[in-house]
Amino acid sequence: MSPHVGVLALQGDTREHLAALRDAGAEVSTVRRLTELNTVDALVIPGGESTAMSHLLRELELLEPLRARLAAGMPCYGSCAGMILLATEINDAGVPGREALPLRGIDMTVRRNAFGRQVDSFEGDLDFVGLDEPVHAVFIRAPWVERVGPDVEVLARAAGHPVAVRQGRMLATSFHPEVTGDRRIHKLFVDSLE
């Protein structure tokens, strides 16, 4: 039976992740409510705007239930804003009261918009641990990782900084593989669920 993977559908590139996960062999659905969160085996947190997503998680009363599911071991993959939210600590988290809130899924410190503003977005090929060929990475107002804990494996780097990490069955990338048509990172995540 295929794993049931939810995509947090509050804001961001939900549709692209749903397609990539289907292609990788998962059963998929969107998650906007606690009842939907409770039905999934794993979750993807897409790119978007981390402060807006944090605000919506609070408003929809999903923040603490999601933190609890992650602490209990629910696998999760976060891209870009998803990476920011999965961190234990966020540097430059935003304006107090409207800041990005860490879900504490991966023992890391992440800096928001580390590569610069929207106009500084870029693409490039990265070596990625566990994949034979480089990954074409699309960075859009992307974060980078400034600190990793002892149990965190760095899977890829850009400009000397970690941009893909894994801790147990938690995966995070600061770039957007869902927009490239390359399904290998989603497949890596789905395969880890079996």
Side-chain angles (χ1 to χ4, degrees), residues 3-187:
H4 182 187
V5 181
V7 177
L8 190 64
L10 304 180
Q11 194 241 2
D13 47 359
T14 304
R15 182 181 42 214
E16 293 86 351
H17 276 292
L18 289 168
L21 290 162
R22 269 191 216 99
D23 291 348
E27 176 189 333
V28 297
S29 63
T30 57
V31 171
R32 291 184 190 91
R33 296 175 189 83
L34 180 57
T35 54
E36 295 165 337
L37 177 63
N38 290 336
T39 67
V40 299
D41 303 315
L43 186 70
V44 169
I45 304 173
E49 214 295 308
S50 58
T51 58
M53 292 169 81
S54 293
H55 172 73
L56 291 167
L57 284 169
R58 274 191 308 243
E59 288 294 310
L60 298 170
E61 299 180 354
L62 282 171
L63 182 64
E64 292 309 322
L66 180 50
R67 281 179 172 159
R69 287 283 316 266
L70 294 173
M74 179 182 68
C76 190
Y77 165 47
S79 68
C80 198
M83 170 186 257
I84 294 166
L85 295 179
L86 279 176
T88 50
E89 182 181 19
I90 303 167
N91 284 342
D92 190 24
V95 178
R98 295 282 300 175
E99 69 271 23
L101 300 171
L103 294 170
R104 302 187 281 268
I106 298 176
D107 184 10
M108 63 181 171
T109 303
V110 172
R111 177 168 299 279
R112 293 174 63 237
N113 303 324
F115 288 101
R117 300 165 83 68
Q118 188 80 21
V119 296
D120 300 311
S121 299
F122 66 99
E123 299 181 25
D125 292 337
L126 302 176
D127 292 328
F128 196 100
V129 172
L131 300 179
D132 293 338
E133 298 293 323
V135 169
H136 187 72
V138 177
F139 293 87
I140 303 168
R141 290 179 50 215
W144 68 39
V145 178
E146 296 193 331
R147 178 200 61 83
V148 294
D151 297 328
V152 178
E153 178 185 11
V154 175
L155 302 174
R157 293 178 180 272
H161 295 277
V163 293
V165 296
R166 175 174 47 207
Q167 181 176 356
R169 296 194 311 169
M170 302 275 183
L171 177 67
T173 61
S174 67
F175 52 90
H176 294 268
E178 72 280 2
V179 302
T180 66
D182 183 343
R183 303 308 196 211
R184 292 177 296 160
I185 292 175
H186 288 83
K187 182 91 170 102

